[in-house]
């Protein structure tokens, strides 16, 4: 039997192969034709372009937003500056380039090489900034020498100008070239080597608002780097501006009041939380950080024992000393342990177990009630009250003031202080809390720490009978035409729930501190405006008898908190003088000066007569005490 197999061949695959082959041949032909056109027909033209002309991308930095004070006065603006950059693909001999550039700019050659090393890995057509903020003479010299510096680029960039020099330097902060670490940080995506960024203060914390958006130009240059034409251009977008809560005149007076003393001050609107003055003394020159910091200046900053680079108002954490007695007193009143008639006999010390706790007045204050205990800052009264309260109840009242954590002032790295509890000590040190720990805490010593911002907030909350506003520094964001983009309203972050009657009793004591004979804060007195306040002295080392021999760094800190007017409070002030020793003698006069400046600005007080130098030998205690800023004789030689 024969096997017949019938197979019918399909014609479709052959047809598809033929079509694809024709299509590929057509594409290949077009590519060859284009290549022939570019390589043969236009060869000479492109060769001339490649040899004589080059395309460059020139970044155009955006101007940062302006910073104003609350009255519209410019605090920080911009000025043009010149930066030197190199285009890597156009520099054939880097060694010669660096040597010549170092010679023309009179700077260290290695400094240029280091900048170049940082720029490695980026597109070779992108400029690498080698030197910033060069002088006009240097810029003109480079233009003359451009022929011997192929690949050189001189860029104009806006750079910060601080209108009042060192004024509010810690608040405003400074800008500088972006660092390697910042370039690696996702938060700085879009930044390039040589860009300026905020490094501290408002400049850093509000970087995204102030920065703006850079533009750029694509230009064609000849072999000598001369611009032939602009091919395309994207204009930069100016950053938004900030209106701060700061009053420039008040800020100046506050800083001048410190003189050479190290410390901090915060003045605050008691009814909104707006910070009116923000001082950390001594300051620094922020303009130096945007260019090349002179080595001797940098060394002097580092070696200054007053630490001028430290923002003491934001990060300084100090034992509040006797200013904390305000919290202890309110806790005692709130818990029903004391009233205005409760008295304690102070003999100059108080013994608990085997330990003796001394009052700052060794002679003792005798029988004292709440008002007198605050007026004369009797430690024994608050030792005994603290013992009855216990640390956890004291801490609970401090928490009502939102103490013990950063208050969200709007600057990075704000410190939160410390309000200790028995649980806190067990967790941190693995040891139980003892009553012997409570007595120092009751007078603001031991483990208690507060920042100047918290001190100002605490006394502002007392002044307004218990409303805790968030301290803040920015009133509004505006565009370059002045249009308001965002307004920041007062924010209430807590209400203490403490009765108005208890606040009134404490405020009577604070009024006596400044205005009655024997009060420890007489140096803050203003005759035309009623001031209430509280002195404080916090120990840096254990109390000694011979205080005059203590080196500067071991001397006590001096503190003072105040508000005014007493009847209708508007402003609260906190002052810390590092190693100032006596709150009444060192800190109270400065607080008084700040209050005086505030009310002069409102037209309430007369302009001051030039004051003679204040003495520093103790505190004024009698009713004839002069006003803040006047000469004083201190008859009260106590710790407070």
């Amino acid at each position: 039997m024969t096997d017949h197999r019938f197979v019918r061949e399909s014609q479709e695959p052959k047809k598809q192969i033929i079509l694809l082959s024709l299509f590929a041949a057509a594409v290949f032909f077009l590519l060859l034709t284009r290549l022939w056109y570019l390589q043969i027909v236009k060869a000479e033209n492109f060769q001339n372009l490649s040899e004589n002309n080059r395309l460059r991308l020139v970044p155009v930095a955006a101007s940062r937003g302006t910073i104003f004070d609350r009255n519209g006065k410019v605090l920080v603006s911009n000025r043009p500056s010149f930066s030197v950059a190199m285009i890597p693909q156009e520099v054939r001999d880097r060694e010669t380039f660096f040597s010549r550039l170092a010679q023309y700019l009179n700077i260290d050659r290695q400094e240029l090489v280091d900048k170049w090393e940082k720029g490695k890995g980026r597109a070779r057509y992108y400029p690498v900034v080698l030197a910033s903020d060069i002088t006009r003479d240097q810029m003109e010299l480079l233009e003359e020498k451009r022929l011997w510096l192929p690949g050189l680029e001189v860029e104009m960039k806006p750079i910060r100008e601080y209108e009042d020099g060192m004024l509010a330097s810690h608040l405003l902060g400074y800008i500088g070239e972006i660092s390697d670490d910042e370039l690696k940080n996702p938060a700085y995506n879009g930044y390039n080597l040589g860009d300026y960024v905020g490094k501290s203060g408002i400049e850093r914390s509000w970087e995204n608002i102030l920065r703006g958006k850079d533009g750029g130009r694509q230009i064609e240059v000849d072999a000598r780097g001369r611009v032939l034409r602009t091919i395309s251009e994207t204009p930069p977008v100016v950053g938004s501006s900030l209106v701060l809560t700061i009053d420039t005149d008040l800020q100046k007076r506050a800083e001048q009041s410190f003189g050479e003393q190290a410390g901090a001050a915060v003045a605050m609107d008691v009814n909104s939380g707006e910070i009116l003055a923000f001082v950390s003394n001594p300051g620094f020159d922020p303009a130096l950080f945007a260019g090349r910091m002179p080595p001797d200046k940098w060394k002097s900053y580092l070696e200054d024992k007053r630490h001028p680079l430290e923002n003491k108002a934001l990060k300084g954490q100090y034992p509040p000393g006797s200013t904390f007695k305000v919290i202890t007193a309110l806790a005692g009143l709130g818990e029903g342990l004391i009233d205005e008639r409760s008295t304690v006999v102070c003999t100059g010390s108080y013994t608990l177990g085997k330990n003796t706790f001394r009052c700052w007045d060794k002679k003792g204050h005798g029988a004292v009630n709440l008002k007198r205990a605050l007026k004369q800052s009797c430690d024994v009264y608050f030792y005994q009250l603290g013992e009855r309260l216990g640390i956890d109840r004291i801490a609970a009242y401090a928490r009502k003031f939102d103490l013990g954590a950063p208050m969200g002032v709007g600057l990075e790295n704000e410190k939160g202080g410390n309000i200790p509890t028995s649980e806190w000590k067990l967790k941190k040190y693995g040891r139980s809390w003892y009553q012997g720990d409570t007595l120092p805490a009751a007078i603001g010593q031991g483990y208690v720490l507060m920042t100047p911002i918290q001190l100002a907030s605490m006394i502002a909350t007392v002044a307004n009978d218990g409303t805790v506003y968030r301290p803040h520094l920015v009133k509004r964001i505006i565009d370059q035409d002045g249009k308001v983009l965002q307004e920041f309203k007062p924010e209430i972050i807590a209400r203490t729930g403490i009765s108005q009657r208890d606040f009134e009793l404490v405020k009577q004591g604070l009024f006596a501190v400044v205005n009655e004979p024997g009060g420890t804060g007489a140096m803050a007195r203003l005759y035309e405006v009623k001031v209430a306040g509280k002195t404080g002295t916090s120990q840096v080392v254990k109390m000694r008898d011979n205080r005059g021999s203590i080196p500067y760094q071991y001397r006590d800190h001096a503190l003072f908190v105040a508000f005014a007017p007493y009847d209708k409070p508007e402003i609260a002030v906190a002052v810390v003088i590092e190693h100032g020793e006596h709150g009444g003698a060192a800190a109270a006069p400065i607080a008084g000066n700040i209050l005086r400046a505030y009310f002069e600005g409102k037209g309430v007080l007369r302009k001051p007569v030039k004051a003679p130098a204040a003495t520093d030998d103790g505190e004024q205690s009698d009713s004839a005490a002069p006003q803040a800023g006047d000469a004083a004789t201190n008859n009260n030689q106590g710790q407070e």
Side-chain angles (χ1 to χ4, degrees):
M1 182 177 180
T2 304
D3 184 15
H4 298 283
R5 301 178 64 184
F6 298 94
V7 178
R8 188 177 62 185
E9 291 188 7
S10 173
Q11 299 300 318
E12 289 299 321
K14 288 183 179 179
K15 187 176 180 181
Q16 289 178 351
I17 290 172
I18 292 171
L19 289 175
L20 286 174
S21 298
L22 289 174
F23 178 77
V27 172
F28 189 65
F29 175 77
L30 289 175
L31 289 174
L32 283 176
T33 302
R34 182 62 178 169
L35 187 62
W36 170 79
Y37 174 79
L38 295 175
Q39 295 284 347
I40 306 301
V41 178
K42 303 292 291 184
E44 184 177 357
N45 187 29
F46 286 127
Q47 185 177 5
N48 290 334
L49 281 176
S50 65
E51 290 181 354
N52 298 320
N53 304 333
R54 296 177 176 87
L55 297 181
R56 284 186 181 177
L57 292 176
V58 180
V60 180
S63 292
R64 292 174 72 86
T66 304
I67 301 177
F68 300 92
D69 84 340
R70 65 184 298 113
N71 300 312
K73 185 180 185 307
V74 175
L75 293 170
V76 187
S77 58
N78 301 290
R79 64 172 174 82
S81 73
F82 298 98
S83 298
V84 179
M86 65 178 285
I87 313 297
Q89 69 177 8
E90 298 179 15
V91 179
R92 297 176 180 174
D93 184 350
R94 283 202 301 272
E95 298 304 316
T96 303
F97 182 91
F98 289 140
S99 297
R100 287 176 176 170
L101 188 58
Q103 177 188 351
Y104 298 150
L105 295 179
N106 191 29
I107 61 178
D108 185 14
R109 181 180 180 280
Q110 187 59 43
E111 186 177 325
L112 301 175
V113 175
D114 291 344
K115 292 284 183 66
W116 153 251
E117 294 288 341
K118 289 181 180 177
K120 280 185 175 179
R122 306 175 67 221
R124 288 177 54 77
Y125 59 82
Y126 206 88
V128 177
V129 177
L130 300 178
S132 300
D133 200 23
I134 63 173
T135 65
R136 179 168 289 276
D137 289 342
Q138 289 174 318
M139 184 272 289
E140 291 174 351
L141 177 61
L142 291 180
E143 290 296 337
E144 291 177 8
K145 305 295 185 182
R146 181 181 285 276
L147 187 61
W148 290 273
L149 290 167
L152 175 75
E153 181 73 36
V154 178
E155 303 173 355
M156 192 182 77
K157 286 185 174 182
I159 198 170
R160 282 312 219 191
E161 182 147 68
Y162 299 89
E163 300 290 335
D164 290 290
M166 295 172 57
L167 183 76
S169 55
H170 285 282
L171 166 64
L172 300 174
Y174 63 91
I175 63 170
E177 285 190 19
I178 192 166
S179 67
D180 292 344
D181 290 340
E182 287 167 334
L183 278 173
K184 297 172 185 173
N185 189 332
Y188 291 91
N189 283 342
Y191 287 79
N192 294 302
L193 189 69
D195 284 350
Y196 286 102
V197 298
K199 296 288 187 178
S200 71
I202 292 288
E203 294 278 24
R204 179 182 178 88
S205 299
W206 295 80
E207 169 71 18
N208 293 337
I209 300 296
L210 293 169
R211 183 195 177 204
K213 187 176 181 181
D214 291 345
R217 288 188 299 147
Q218 187 178 32
I219 60 174
E220 183 181 343
V221 298
D222 63 14
R224 296 183 176 183
R226 293 176 298 194
V227 177
L228 298 178
R229 65 187 177 109
T230 298
I231 298 174
S232 62
E233 183 173 7
T234 303
V237 179
V238 179
S240 299
S241 298
L242 296 177
V243 178
L244 304 186
T245 59
I246 297 297
D247 182 303
T248 300
D249 293 336
L250 189 64
Q251 181 77 22
K252 286 181 180 177
R253 288 282 293 275
E255 292 192 9
Q256 291 167 357
S257 299
F258 274 78
E260 297 299 315
Q261 299 179 100
V266 174
M268 184 184 300
D269 185 325
V270 303
N271 299 307
S272 68
E274 292 182 353
I275 293 179
L276 306 172
F278 183 96
V279 179
S280 179
N281 202 65
F284 57 85
D285 186 352
L288 294 177
F289 288 83
R292 298 179 66 243
M293 171 75 75
D296 58 335
K297 191 64 182 178
W298 179 246
K299 183 180 179 184
S300 71
Y301 282 150
L302 295 180
E303 294 180 350
D304 192 331
K305 61 184 178 183
R306 300 171 301 162
H307 307 294
L309 299 180
E310 179 187 6
N311 190 336
K312 300 174 179 66
L314 184 73
K315 303 177 185 176
Q317 299 181 107
Y318 307 90
S322 294
T323 63
F324 193 73
K325 290 172 181 173
V326 169
I327 299 293
T328 306
L330 289 169
L333 290 167
E335 295 298 309
L337 300 180
I338 58 171
D339 58 28
E340 63 269 39
R341 297 178 299 277
S342 304
T343 58
V344 164
V345 177
C346 172
T347 59
S349 65
Y350 179 67
T351 300
L352 178 66
K354 297 179 180 179
N355 297 315
T356 298
F357 297 84
R358 292 190 292 173
C359 184
W360 67 266
D361 187 346
K362 297 177 183 176
K363 301 186 299 294
H365 292 98
V368 292
N369 58 15
L370 175 62
K371 180 179 178 181
R372 191 178 171 205
L374 287 169
K375 182 179 75 173
Q376 299 186 330
S377 202
C378 175
D379 291 330
V380 168
Y381 181 94
F382 289 96
Y383 286 148
Q384 295 190 31
L385 178 56
E387 181 184 3
R388 296 172 67 190
L389 281 165
I391 188 60
D392 290 336
R393 283 202 285 188
I394 295 174
Y397 276 81
R399 295 287 184 190
K400 292 176 184 287
F401 286 73
D402 219 41
L403 304 178
M407 303 200 76
V409 71
L411 296 178
E412 291 186 11
N413 302 316
E414 180 189 357
K415 296 295 184 182
N418 186 48
I419 300 299
T421 63
S422 54
E423 182 183 359
W424 168 84
K425 185 183 176 185
L426 186 64
K427 184 177 180 180
K428 184 171 182 63
Y429 296 106
R431 299 195 300 269
S432 300
W433 185 275
Y434 302 108
Q435 279 288 44
D437 297 324
T438 302
L439 273 58
I443 63 166
Q445 301 281 0
Y447 299 112
V448 182
L449 295 173
M450 290 174 63
T451 66
I453 293 172
Q454 292 172 332
L455 286 164
S457 175
M458 177 188 73
I459 197 64
T461 302
V462 172
N464 67 30
D465 292 338
T467 301
V468 186
Y469 288 96
R470 187 181 304 285
H472 61 282
L473 290 157
V474 178
K475 285 178 73 71
R476 65 183 71 95
I477 301 172
I478 60 176
D479 65 14
Q480 57 180 324
D481 298 322
K483 179 184 177 184
V484 177
L485 302 178
Q486 189 173 357
E487 187 94 28
F488 296 95
K489 301 293 185 183
E491 181 184 358
I492 297 173
I493 56 176
R495 295 187 190 275
T496 63
I498 296 171
S499 73
Q500 188 173 355
R501 172 59 179 164
D502 290 349
F503 276 120
E504 184 57 34
L505 291 175
V506 169
K507 284 195 281 190
Q508 288 174 7
L510 302 184
F511 181 80
V513 168
V514 177
N515 299 282
E516 294 187 2
T520 57
M523 293 292 287
R525 188 181 309 168
L526 303 175
Y527 288 132
E528 300 94 333
V529 176
K530 294 179 181 178
V531 177
K534 183 70 193 78
T535 54
T537 301
S538 61
Q539 292 181 346
V540 175
V541 295
K542 190 175 181 180
M543 188 181 294
R544 293 182 174 91
D545 292 332
N546 185 9
R547 308 183 68 76
S549 62
I550 299 176
Y552 169 80
Q553 64 270 27
Y554 299 129
R555 296 174 190 167
D556 296 342
H557 297 318
L559 301 95
F560 191 74
V561 295
F563 67 86
Y566 174 75
D567 299 322
K568 193 175 182 181
E570 298 177 15
I571 179 174
V573 176
V575 176
V576 178
I577 304 296
E578 289 188 344
H579 314 295
E581 298 196 290
H582 303 294
I590 292 177
N593 278 334
I594 296 172
L595 293 172
R596 170 171 284 282
Y598 173 81
F599 289 108
E600 283 175 1
K602 293 177 66 71
V604 176
L605 297 182
R606 302 184 304 271
K607 292 292 182 183
V609 178
K610 186 176 181 181
T615 60
D616 190 28
D617 58 351
E619 295 182 356
Q620 186 74 23
S621 63
D622 61 25
S623 59
Q627 295 185 80
D630 294 347
T633 300
N634 191 333
N635 298 325
N636 192 347
Q637 297 288 331
Q639 181 186 358
E640 288 298 315

